[in-house]
Amino acid sequence: MAEPAAETAVWHSHGRTRRSTRTIRVRISAVIVAAVVLAVLVVPPLANLDQQAIDLSMKLQPPSLAHPFGTDDVGRDLLLRCVYGLRVSLLVGLVAALVATFIGTAVGAAAAAFGGWTDRVVMRLVDTFSSIPHLLLGIFIVAMFRPGVWPVIVSVALTHWLSTARIVRSEVLSLRSRPYIDAAVSGGASRWRVAVRHLLPGVLPQAGLAAVLMVPHAMWHESALSFLGLGLPTHQASLGNLVQSARSSLLAGDWWPTLFPGLLLIIPTLAIAGLAGAWRERINPRRRSELML
């Protein structure tokens, strides 16, 4: 009898350790996300400087007190440029994620609600577009427009709604088999009322989680397009443009123009993903109970 009790105690101790580690990770992620949001909102107005101001006498200065991130190849302050670039990348990521989530939710819910041939046709289209690499399809879309923010947003949104459509369709099909849905239909509720009052609230948490997870993906997608010269105009600060313009400096041994934009791309996306993981555990009780063992 002592051995099962000891084994149970070990499992509980292990579970508490994992929960504590997870809590610390979530708090760190929340602090990072809050710091990023504060930086992009507060730093540009307070700096009162032109992030495009060129000073060739300060060309490629290493990090210092005057320029914590150093300067770029034409003497512009890299800290200010990175903050502006992070603001643009976050804007693209947020708007693209919201548009893609709206499209995916509408398509997935419609496919599950109508069923039959509508469901089959819609899901075959989703499978077809999913077989095309996102970046390749995104390049094709932005190539039809002049470089700018909105073509990138459209490109990211039109290539990232597919997974949301699958998730929402699966969730709606699961909800339709619940007893309270049958009771509502038997009670004379219309299809519209069932969808608005019962199905939509049930899929919103999953759709919201998909939107949050899509933000870092969209930021990387924008950075990849800008790095290839197909995204935002080269004069406009974005994390992808900053990394792209720093390639020659890196080859010359100047590491800071590449390092800091790269870190500002990696760290916030990891933090957002950490918060999304905590949200996933909260809305999925089964997964949460497994992690607490």
Side-chain angles (χ1 to χ4, degrees), residues 51-226:
Q51 53 100 8
Q52 297 281 15
I54 296 175
D55 184 0
L56 294 178
S57 64
M58 298 296 294
K59 175 182 177 180
L60 289 175
Q61 295 295 312
S64 62
L65 291 177
H67 302 283
F69 284 9
T71 60
D72 64 7
D73 56 349
V74 291
R76 293 173 294 193
D77 183 76
L78 200 55
L79 173 59
L80 194 58
R81 294 271 294 168
C82 284
V83 173
Y84 272 94
L86 183 59
R87 170 189 276 187
V88 173
S89 296
L90 276 176
L91 173 65
V92 172
L94 286 171
V95 176
L98 290 175
V99 174
T101 301
F102 177 80
I103 296 174
T105 301
V107 172
F114 288 101
W117 67 269
T118 303
D119 185 27
R120 290 193 294 272
V121 170
V122 169
M123 297 316 297
R124 293 299 78 76
L125 289 175
V126 170
D127 292 338
T128 300
F129 282 107
S130 296
S131 65
I132 305 174
H134 286 174
L135 185 57
L136 182 62
L137 186 57
I139 290 174
F140 175 77
I141 294 173
V142 297
M144 297 187 295
F145 305 94
R146 291 183 178 180
V149 172
W150 286 108
V152 174
I153 291 176
V154 171
S155 170
V156 176
L158 293 181
T159 55
H160 287 73
W161 61 270
L162 305 168
S163 58
T164 304
R166 284 200 182 95
I167 292 171
V168 171
R169 173 183 175 272
S170 176
E171 193 69 17
V172 171
L173 290 176
S174 175
L175 291 173
R176 284 178 58 185
S177 62
R178 303 291 175 85
Y180 66 88
I181 299 294
D182 294 334
V185 174
S186 301
S190 64
R191 178 177 295 182
W192 176 256
R193 182 178 178 84
V194 170
V196 173
R197 293 291 300 273
H198 301 290
L199 296 180
L200 185 60
V203 302
L204 282 181
Q206 293 289 350
L209 176 60
V212 173
L213 286 171
M214 208 179 300
V215 171
H217 196 180
M219 291 176 62
W220 280 93
H221 198 94
E222 177 275 320
S223 298
L225 290 174
S226 297

Side-chain angles (χ1 to χ4, degrees), residues 12-35:
H12 281 294
S13 176
H14 181 63
R16 285 194 296 269
T17 302
R18 294 185 64 179
R19 288 195 298 272
S20 176
T21 303
R22 190 165 61 251
T23 300
I24 294 173
R25 185 169 64 247
V26 170
R27 289 176 178 175
I28 292 175
S29 299
V31 170
I32 292 174
V33 171

Side-chain angles (χ1 to χ4, degrees), residues 226-285:
S226 297
F227 183 81
L228 294 173
L230 299 170
L232 302 181
T234 55
H235 68 273
Q236 186 170 6
S238 75
L239 296 179
N241 277 342
L242 291 176
V243 174
Q244 195 276 341
S245 63
R247 289 186 301 169
S248 58
S249 301
L250 182 63
L251 294 175
D254 300 318
W255 48 269
W256 56 91
T258 304
L259 175 65
F260 293 113
L263 289 178
L264 285 182
L265 180 61
I266 294 171
I267 294 176
T269 55
L270 290 178
I272 294 172
L275 292 180
W279 187 355
R280 182 192 292 114
E281 295 170 18
R282 182 174 294 275
I283 66 176
N284 192 336

